[in-house]
Amino acid sequence: MKKIINDPTTVVTEALQGMALAHPDLITVTLDPATIVRADAPIQGKVALVSGGGSGHEPLHGGFVGAGMLDAAAPGAVFTSPTPDQVLAATQAVDGGAGVLHIVKNYTGDVLNFETAAELAAAEDIQISSVVVDDDVAVKDSTYTAGRRGVGGTVLLEKIAGASAARGDDLATVTAIAQRVNSQVRSMGMALTPCTVPHSGEPSFTLAEDEMEIGIGIHGEPGRHRVKLQSADEIVATLLGAVVEDLPFTSGDRTLLFVNGMGGTPLIELYLAYHSARSFLGERGIEVTRSLVGNFITSLEMQGMSITLLKLDDEFIELWDAPVHTPALRWGV
Amino acid sequence: MKKIINDPTTVVTEALQGMALAHPDLITVTLDPATIVRADAPIQGKVALVSGGGSGHEPLHGGFVGAGMLDAAAPGAVFTSPTPDQVLAATQAVDGGAGVLHIVKNYTGDVLNFETAAELAAAEDIQISSVVVDDDVAVKDSTYTAGRRGVGGTVLLEKIAGASAARGDDLATVTAIAQRVNSQVRSMGMALTPCTVPHSGEPSFTLAEDEMEIGIGIHGEPGRHRVKLQSADEIVATLLGAVVEDLPFTSGDRTLLFVNGMGGTPLIELYLAYHSARSFLGERGIEVTRSLVGNFITSLEMQGMSITLLKLDDEFIELWDAPVHTPALRWGV
């Protein structure tokens, strides 16, 4: 296992300490239980957004804590759901009296632990609503889920719902907007190489030198099928074909196109794939109105990418463009 | 070779086309010769900044074209210097009558081709000055250089000199500030894995499963020595030890600490290394006043990192904090 770490058991803790030192103006970090909280939380009268999940997908979610996006994140161990304890602590830290939205990626452990935390918070008279993100069209059920997995759409949802809360929307409105994003966003990913969880020390799966996995999950869990290496254009056509067909996206739609790296893929390949995706969508009359290209929801050092497409309307565009100031996304500030 | 590409010979072109489509508000791209130019160039009366170098180090340099940083970049083939032709075209495109600063990383081919371009531009009465960045303390001479290589310090120099030009400084002043950054910045890198240039199809070097290369160059060229895998704390102590000793940085100095990924290293490891670096510097009384953590000058999919330390003064801090709006760095806008 080749990693820049000290001890497999302290990777998350040390990385959190690094984040806290690098971004003292934006976030504060607690280690027991582990939370990343907006430095100026709680904000009285503002709906607060809390997300979380296993670590190893950075910058998701901790990198999105700050003005205009999340109020707190609960980072679990690598590829492991955060405990109810963590989610509750994050929720308590950010509640400003207007309620808290839990943004949960659809993995069985995450859903369960967020539900438990929501019950505990409700018992303290904190108003809780939640949205479960399930945008991955690759497989219906998976190793980690009943139903579709939550992947790249989560990033877009956190930005848009965060802007809704920032402009003063109430909990019902922010929740409805988050649910509407989830209903309008679809994703699919692929991998060229596996990744290695520090604690295990072994690659999560193996792929031959001429193979790739189509429809991979963000924990390296199996997707649709394993195939021989293909060209970027063929890969993009497979991913976007499934994405476009699913919603479906049709000619005349305005969209946000998000080409996401899995952590080990160079930016030059992501821009190349973005170019290919633009051709694919252009041929179908699907307009790309906003874009995001880079590593935002990753799987440690895995090489691969996912493509996410969100159908935009005027409100989504306004909320996407609104100011955001987090470690990993920043504009308008 | 596992890459998301169509054809090894068109990787740079297709990625440039993707960049142009993803950032139409910021940049325009020409393909023959290849340049990335600020969308609103030339800006009359403003000193223009042009950099360039081999592709494969993205987001450097094209990702730094925009308001407050570079006016243009000349991207060569992967790990290959841009031609004089490219640099000249970039220079012509951005000259607004106040002169053009060439920012050149110290590699023999880059220096030669920028010099030729400068002579051609001067013959057209464009006022040219140049700064050669040579911040890498790892080796005195290397496969690609006479003298030290230009690495992570380039990113910081482009930001600070870009802000100097944006506030209206004249060519002599912008050049002096760029040279002062180069005199106050030091870097060193390491790699856990090699990378593969698309055109060659083979890894640039080999490392055993228990080995890493200390002092690696950004093209995978050899560094100081190859050693057995070490802990993050040991790696950071080696890199920062060499960096701190070289300038030297001393107790009471204010610095910008830049932990840079080589392209294939997950963010969680970079933040972990940042934490370790803060401890190392804290023990020596060296203050970290500004920070940058992420993949900004890369070597394709190489796993590894470099650490750059810049000694700050009030002017550098003001220029670092000034607004910037490029594909890869953005704040204040």
Side-chain angles (χ1 to χ4, degrees):
Chain A
M1 175 174 61
K2 287 191 155 185
K3 292 185 184 291
I4 302 171
I5 62 174
N6 289 310
D7 174 341
T9 66
T10 57
V11 170
V12 172
T13 301
E14 290 177 66
L16 287 174
Q17 290 173 304
M19 277 198 75
L21 288 167
H23 309 287
D25 51 328
L26 295 178
I27 58 170
T28 56
V29 162
T30 62
L31 295 179
D32 186 22
T35 68
I36 301 167
V37 177
R38 213 177 131 163
D40 54 357
I43 298 167
Q44 291 308 318
K46 188 186 88 72
V47 170
L49 275 63
V50 172
S51 191
S55 292
H57 308 301
E58 289 71 22
L60 186 88
H61 298 272
F64 302 134
V65 173
M69 215 160 162
L70 298 179
D71 292 81
V78 173
F79 292 1
T80 303
S81 302
T83 62
D85 200 30
Q86 284 181 267
V87 177
L88 178 63
T91 302
Q92 291 166 327
V94 300
D95 174 43
V100 179
L101 172 64
H102 284 176
I103 300 171
V104 190
K105 300 195 301 303
N106 188 35
Y107 299 97
T108 305
D110 290 33
V111 170
L112 197 67
N113 291 353
F114 268 90
E115 275 174 6
T116 305
E119 284 163 20
L120 295 168
E124 296 181 12
D125 289 330
I126 301 175
Q127 217 189 330
I128 301 287
S129 70
S130 75
V131 57
V132 176
V133 191
D134 59 353
D135 57 314
D136 188 343
V137 305
V139 289
K140 182 160 172 18
D141 300 301
S142 81
T143 323
Y144 291 78
T145 63
R148 290 179 167 184
R149 301 173 293 215
V151 289
T154 314
V155 178
L156 310 184
L157 187 150
E158 290 177 357
K159 171 66 184 81
I160 290 172
S164 165
R167 73 178 175 189
D169 291 348
D170 64 16
L171 183 60
T173 306
V174 177
T175 305
I177 284 175
Q179 282 164 342
R180 194 152 60 82
V181 173
N182 189 53
S183 75
Q184 301 296 312
V185 71
R186 297 292 185 273
S187 301
M188 191 156 127
M190 54 76 61
L192 295 171
T193 64
C195 60
T196 299
V197 174
H199 209 80
S200 106
E202 297 297 327
S204 51
F205 60 98
T206 53
L207 275 172
E209 257 312 297
D210 62 346
E211 279 182 340
M212 60 183 186
E213 177 86 23
I214 296 287
I216 191 101
I218 56 171
H219 313 95
E221 66 269 34
R224 286 194 175 184
H225 43 256
R226 190 162 289 195
V227 297
K228 296 287 175 195
L229 290 178
Q230 296 175 348
S231 71
D233 287 346
E234 289 169 312
I235 295 168
V236 166
T238 301
L239 301 186
L240 264 182
V243 161
V244 163
E245 181 178 86
D246 191 88
L247 190 66
F249 294 87
T250 56
S251 180
D253 282 352
R254 292 177 297 169
T255 64
L256 189 162
L257 171 60
F258 171 26
V259 175
N260 173 65
M262 292 300 208
T265 299
L267 202 50
I268 195 170
E269 295 178 34
L270 298 181
Y271 276 115
L272 189 152
Y274 177 88
H275 175 246
S276 177
R278 286 293 295 262
S279 300
F280 182 97
L281 295 171
E283 285 162 13
R284 283 151 186 83
I286 298 170
E287 188 186 324
V288 176
T289 310
R290 293 291 182 276
S291 299
L292 186 65
V293 182
N295 290 280
F296 293 101
I297 169 170
T298 63
S299 302
L300 297 169
E301 71 282 5
M302 185 186 283
Q303 285 180 258
M305 67 168 175
S306 60
I307 302 184
T308 296
L309 202 60
L310 168 66
K311 189 168 166 177
L312 293 172
D313 56 30
D314 289 343
E315 184 173 40
F316 282 176
I317 292 172
E318 181 190 322
L319 293 169
W320 177 258
D321 289 346
V324 62
H325 188 180
T326 69
L329 272 191
R330 181 171 177 180
W331 56 72
V333 191
Chain B
M1 174 175 62
K2 288 192 155 185
K3 290 182 184 294
I4 303 171
I5 62 174
N6 289 309
D7 174 340
T9 67
T10 58
V11 169
V12 173
T13 301
E14 290 176 66
L16 287 174
Q17 289 173 304
M19 277 198 76
L21 288 166
H23 309 289
D25 52 328
L26 294 179
I27 57 169
T28 56
V29 162
T30 62
L31 296 179
D32 188 22
T35 68
I36 301 168
V37 177
R38 210 178 133 161
D40 55 357
I43 298 165
Q44 292 307 317
K46 188 186 88 72
V47 170
L49 274 62
V50 172
S51 192
S55 292
H57 307 301
E58 290 71 21
L60 186 87
H61 298 272
F64 301 133
V65 174
M69 213 161 163
L70 297 179
D71 292 81
V78 173
F79 293 179
T80 304
S81 302
T83 62
D85 203 29
Q86 284 181 265
V87 177
L88 178 63
T91 302
Q92 290 166 329
V94 299
D95 173 43
V100 179
L101 172 64
H102 284 175
I103 299 171
V104 190
K105 298 194 302 304
N106 189 35
Y107 300 97
T108 306
D110 290 34
V111 170
L112 197 67
N113 291 354
F114 267 90
E115 276 175 4
T116 304
E119 284 163 20
L120 295 168
E124 296 181 11
D125 289 330
I126 302 174
Q127 218 188 328
I128 302 287
S129 69
S130 76
V131 58
V132 176
V133 191
D134 59 352
D135 57 315
D136 188 342
V137 304
V139 289
K140 179 154 175 23
D141 300 300
S142 80
T143 323
Y144 291 76
T145 63
R148 290 178 167 184
R149 301 173 295 215
V151 289
T154 314
V155 177
L156 311 185
L157 187 151
E158 290 178 356
K159 169 67 184 79
I160 290 172
S164 164
R167 74 178 174 188
D169 291 348
D170 64 17
L171 183 60
T173 306
V174 176
T175 306
I177 284 174
Q179 282 164 342
R180 194 153 60 83
V181 172
N182 189 55
S183 76
Q184 300 297 312
V185 71
R186 297 293 186 273
S187 300
M188 194 156 125
M190 54 74 61
L192 295 171
T193 65
C195 59
T196 299
V197 174
H199 209 82
S200 106
E202 298 297 330
S204 52
F205 60 98
T206 54
L207 274 173
E209 258 311 298
D210 62 346
E211 279 182 340
M212 60 183 186
E213 177 86 23
I214 295 287
I216 191 99
I218 57 172
H219 312 94
E221 66 269 32
R224 288 193 175 184
H225 43 256
R226 189 162 290 194
V227 297
K228 296 289 176 195
L229 290 177
Q230 297 175 349
S231 71
D233 286 346
E234 289 169 314
I235 295 168
V236 165
T238 301
L239 301 186
L240 264 183
V243 160
V244 164
E245 180 179 88
D246 190 89
L247 190 66
F249 295 86
T250 56
S251 179
D253 282 351
R254 291 177 298 169
T255 64
L256 189 162
L257 171 60
F258 171 27
V259 174
N260 172 66
M262 291 301 210
T265 298
L267 202 49
I268 196 171
E269 295 177 34
L270 298 182
Y271 276 115
L272 188 152
Y274 177 87
H275 175 246
S276 177
R278 286 293 295 262
S279 300
F280 182 96
L281 295 171
E283 286 162 12
R284 283 153 187 81
I286 298 169
E287 188 186 326
V288 176
T289 311
R290 293 292 182 275
S291 299
L292 186 66
V293 182
N295 289 280
F296 293 100
I297 170 170
T298 63
S299 302
L300 297 168
E301 72 280 7
M302 183 187 285
Q303 286 180 256
M305 68 167 174
S306 59
I307 302 184
T308 296
L309 202 61
L310 169 65
K311 188 168 166 177
L312 293 171
D313 56 31
D314 290 342
E315 184 173 41
F316 282 175
I317 292 172
E318 180 191 321
L319 293 169
W320 177 257
D321 289 346
V324 62
H325 189 180
T326 69
L329 271 192
R330 181 172 179 182
W331 55 73
V333 191

